[in-house]
Amino acid sequence: MWGAVKVLVIGGSGFLGTELVRQATAAGWDTAATYCTRPGRPSGASWHRLDLRAPGHIDDLLASVGPRFVVNASSGHGNWAVTAEGSIRVAMAAAKHGRRLVHVSSDAVFSGSRIHYDEDCPPDPTTPYGAAKAAAESAVRLLAPGSVVARTSLIIGGGASAHERLVHDLASRTRDGVLFTDDRRCPVHVEDLASALWELTVSDLTGMSHLAGADAVSRHALGVLIARRDGLDPGLLPAGRRADAGVPGPLDVRLDSRATQRRIRTRLRGVREFLRPRPSIGEA
């Protein structure tokens, strides 16, 4: 697709990382990927165990693998040592070795106080995870100014995302919980997101990008769309309000991705499009 390319996907065994590795290997790229506990499944990539908490570990890996491009798709799940400090180590190593870095961030860096957020809006996190992501963003932009920081939202696709699994668990009554009706985001399909990230990676763009879907929906509305696509009864999904549950975090965060969308070819579909119910046999 873009010729001979050598890439390193940090967090390659995660949900987004798996799709990044799949697309890179399908394009014929020399692909390396990292894992924390066990390697991912996609074939065609070399796998390397990486602990972002360990000083010098990522530096040694970059020296041995020698990628041209690095995509940091690790999450850390709110662990400051991984999400913030680990991302700082990645940025420092990428700058030291002269590697282009694309750092994946999150809409969790915003409080929701203004609802709509474009690439110029400064972070104002209200949760530990959001604070760690915001700290990572600042460090990446300072230490590796030629990098890209790409914020995204809820990642959906293929039935394997945490949100899709939750809907199935709630519908089958194998898990307790509710889907909030007052918590809104702009979900993106994992294939669209990975494709857009690779576009940004091989481009000469720098700075902040937003990669989210065009539709803003509540977590309950998202669950209903998933249920209908998968032939489940949406009425089985319990609904509630985050404000009433006292769960901390922003309520309504809508990433405005229009500026980034104008600079890339990959179309970031809205959730109402990519979660349309599958046609029944004979209806296609």
Side-chain angles (χ1 to χ4, degrees):
M1 189 160 46
W2 285 285
V5 179
K6 189 167 189 177
V7 299
L8 171 65
V9 179
I10 298 174
S13 60
F15 180 55
L16 172 58
T18 296
E19 180 61 22
L20 285 166
V21 171
R22 187 194 69 80
Q23 292 190 15
T25 56
W29 295 354
D30 185 352
T31 307
T34 75
Y35 66 95
C36 182
T37 55
R38 56 182 176 271
R41 289 178 295 175
S43 60
S46 62
W47 289 93
H48 307 265
R49 189 178 184 281
L50 175 65
D51 186 351
L52 287 175
R53 300 166 297 180
H57 203 174
I58 180 61
D59 189 57
D60 293 342
L61 182 60
L62 286 186
S64 63
V65 172
R68 181 179 175 189
F69 303 112
V70 178
V71 177
N72 184 3
S74 62
S75 170
H77 304 291
N79 184 320
W80 184 272
V82 176
T83 305
E85 296 173 9
S87 296
I88 293 171
R89 293 190 177 99
V90 172
M92 292 176 66
K96 175 182 175 180
H97 293 274
R99 311 305 182 193
R100 176 163 168 80
L101 172 64
V102 172
H103 175 84
V104 182
S105 189
S106 166
D107 57 12
V109 301
F110 296 122
S111 69
S113 61
R114 59 178 296 159
I115 300 178
H116 299 277
Y117 294 87
D118 62 22
E119 288 88 343
D120 294 327
C121 293
D124 61 339
T126 60
T127 64
Y129 177 66
K133 280 293 191 181
E137 285 187 3
S138 298
V140 169
R141 299 187 72 179
L142 175 65
L143 297 169
S147 65
V148 173
V149 173
R151 295 181 182 128
T152 191
S153 189
L154 305 182
I155 308 174
I156 309 296
S161 71
H163 316 290
E164 291 162 286
R165 295 196 309 270
L166 173 61
V167 168
H168 279 253
D169 290 346
L170 290 174
S172 64
R173 298 292 193 265
T174 59
R175 181 172 173 179
D176 294 330
V178 299
L179 296 175
F180 296 130
T181 59
D182 57 347
D183 184 329
R184 293 176 178 83
R185 299 293 186 272
C186 295
V188 64
H189 196 285
V190 66
E191 293 178 6
D192 298 348
L193 176 57
S195 176
L197 286 169
W198 284 130
E199 275 198 65
L200 291 174
T201 300
V202 301
S203 75
D204 58 1
L205 297 173
T206 62
M208 188 66 64
S209 293
H210 280 184
L211 299 175
D215 299 333
V217 295
S218 71
R219 291 181 187 263
H220 184 266
L222 172 62
V224 168
L225 289 170
I226 292 170
R228 287 175 175 165
R229 181 202 64 182
D230 295 346
L232 304 174
D233 180 3
L236 296 174
L237 302 178
R241 283 168 38 89
R242 185 169 191 156
D244 296 335
V247 178
L251 291 179
D252 198 339
V253 176
R254 309 183 190 189
L255 292 187
D256 184 344
S257 303
R258 289 176 296 179
T260 299
Q261 180 68 91
R262 288 192 291 268
R263 299 185 293 176
I264 61 175
R265 296 186 303 275
T266 300
R267 188 169 69 88
L268 301 169
R269 293 169 291 168
V271 68
R272 293 186 180 89
E273 177 181 350
F274 66 73
L275 284 182
R276 284 175 182 156
R278 301 181 180 115
S280 302
I281 297 175
E283 293 181 358

